Amino acid sequence: MAGNTFGRIFKLTSFGESHGRGVGGILEGVKPGLELDMDFIQQELDRRRPGQSKITTPRDEKDRVEFLSGVMDGKATGTPLAFAIWNKDQKSNDYDNLKDLYRPSHADYTYDAKYGIRDHRGGGRSSARETIARVVAGAIAKLMLKETGVDITAFVSQVGELIMEEVPADLSAIESTPVRCPDTTMAERMIDYIDKIRQEKDSVGGVVSCVIRNAPAGLGDPVFEKLHAVLGQAMLSINAVKGFEYGLGFKASSMRGSQHNDEFYTEAGKVKTRTNRSGGVQGGISNGEEILFRVAFKPVATILKDQNTVDKSGNEVVMKARGRHDPCVVPRAVPIVEAMAAMVIVDAWLMNKTYQ
């Protein structure tokens, strides 16, 4: 199975399955001497882990990371940093009835079609549990970014048809609610709605928005390694993601150039733009303004309602799913979006250092 590595200099190779012994990764490009703040890394993992509230899966995993190499006296040595998070609360028997069935909108059929074998226990490699490795790598990327002043903040801006129209300037309330929406009034509505969906044994999608502040101009490369293209690849590689847009995104397609262009001016000798419809990226390279993008997540594919499907022999059957699943993935996806964004920015920053 190819496609398990992301990045050019700051490079993560992840491994593991949902119901195997554990998940983890090998991380290259970590700055030698970087102090690995374990409290911060664990805090990031805690934001992603299951069992946080009534609107997430009740699977009880503490997700404690164990570093196996690349660390001495709490600091990175610069050699490959290997780590693992051991699975503790998997209940594989919940999936025994799905061994020969293809779950609708899941990776079961496509994995069988490509490899001729699949791990039916929680989806195996296609499970969102794989994203734990990304959160660890993203936390380390954030630690490396501290010296640059770059700040990456993601939040839930939409659940189903509930949309936060205005992004508040103050994003400090994001972690104050389990849905991670900075508008506390909208957050309460979202929580009630997700809980209602959960009680109906269904699921619902949503949108995670992200703002990257204080990124310098000049990050990214022309043509195939455009900054927004790599961000798009990073976000679209996350489980359940169906869409990515930066700046005004699809809205720009209905505008005129005179309406969309960001005019330049100078302030204290620094080049700036009067508007930021480009989302902080022009020509595939950051322009020094805030980098803004949105990530659309589909409803979780596994729901506890009966669904029509087929088995491996082609027989039409009714599927009765069991197990513990999120009714809405977006609250737990927030730290994953931040982690992937941090990895992209660190990698672009390191690429710039090789040029200069």
Side-chain angles (χ1 to χ4, degrees), residues 9 34 36 53 64 73 122 149 167 198 213 238 262 275 280 343:
I9 298 178
L34 178 72
L36 297 179
S53 70
R64 304 296 183 189
D73 298 329
V167 178
R198 179 187 63 82
R213 296 187 171 119
I238 300 172
D262 294 316
T275 54
M343 291 171 61

Side-chain angles (χ1 to χ4, degrees), residues 40-204:
F40 175 73
I41 295 170
Q42 191 58 54
Q43 172 187 303
E44 295 294 278
L45 284 169
D46 288 345
R47 296 170 67 211
R48 193 224 71 97
R49 76 174 184 86
Q52 296 180 43
S53 70
K54 66 180 180 181
I55 61 172
T56 63
T57 169
R59 179 169 172 169
D60 185 18
E61 294 281 6
K62 303 306 180 186
D63 290 346
R64 304 296 183 189
V65 62
E66 179 180 346
F67 288 99
L68 309 177
S69 69
V71 182
M72 184 175 66
D73 298 329
K75 295 182 179 180
T77 62
T79 59
L81 197 160
F83 60 90
I85 300 92
W86 309 112
N87 294 331
K88 301 291 185 183
D89 189 39
Q90 64 269 53
K91 295 183 178 180
S92 301
N93 291 340
D94 286 346
Y95 297 88
D96 285 349
N97 65 318
L98 304 177
K99 186 175 182 178
D100 296 317
L101 303 183
Y102 295 135
R103 292 170 294 175
S105 291
H106 217 293
D108 299 346
Y109 172 71
T110 52
Y111 266 51
D112 248 0
K114 183 173 179 68
Y115 302 109
I117 187 172
R118 67 181 174 91
D119 186 346
H120 67 282
R121 305 165 302 168
R125 189 72 175 139
S126 69
S127 167
R129 189 145 181 81
E130 177 272 336
T131 61
I132 300 175
R134 307 175 188 223
V135 173
V136 173
I140 294 170
K142 286 183 177 182
L143 291 173
M144 287 179 64
L145 284 173
K146 272 190 173 182
E147 67 181 75
T148 71
V150 174
D151 178 71
I152 300 171
T153 305
F155 53 91
V156 174
S157 57
Q158 179 177 342
V159 170
E161 297 179 354
L162 298 177
I163 303 173
M164 186 179 67
E165 299 291 352
E166 297 291 333
V167 178
D170 181 7
L171 300 177
S172 61
I174 292 173
E175 292 297 322
S176 66
T177 72
V179 79
R180 295 197 168 95
C181 174
D183 182 330
T184 54
T185 300
M186 176 59 77
E188 289 304 316
R189 293 178 61 194
M190 289 177 172
I191 292 168
D192 290 343
Y193 183 59
I194 294 173
D195 192 43
K196 177 176 177 291
I197 294 293
R198 179 187 63 82
Q199 293 179 40
E200 294 174 356
K201 300 181 179 181
D202 215 332
S203 63
V204 66

Side-chain angles (χ1 to χ4, degrees), residues 8-24:
R8 295 171 291 177
I9 298 178
F10 191 85
K11 186 185 303 184
L12 171 69
T13 300
S14 73
F15 64 84
E17 296 84 34
S18 176
H19 285 238
R21 187 181 175 196
V23 296

Side-chain angles (χ1 to χ4, degrees), residues 313-325:
S313 300
N315 302 307
E316 295 187 2
V317 296
V318 175
M319 187 189 82
K320 299 179 182 293
R322 296 195 298 267
R324 299 162 294 178
H325 310 281

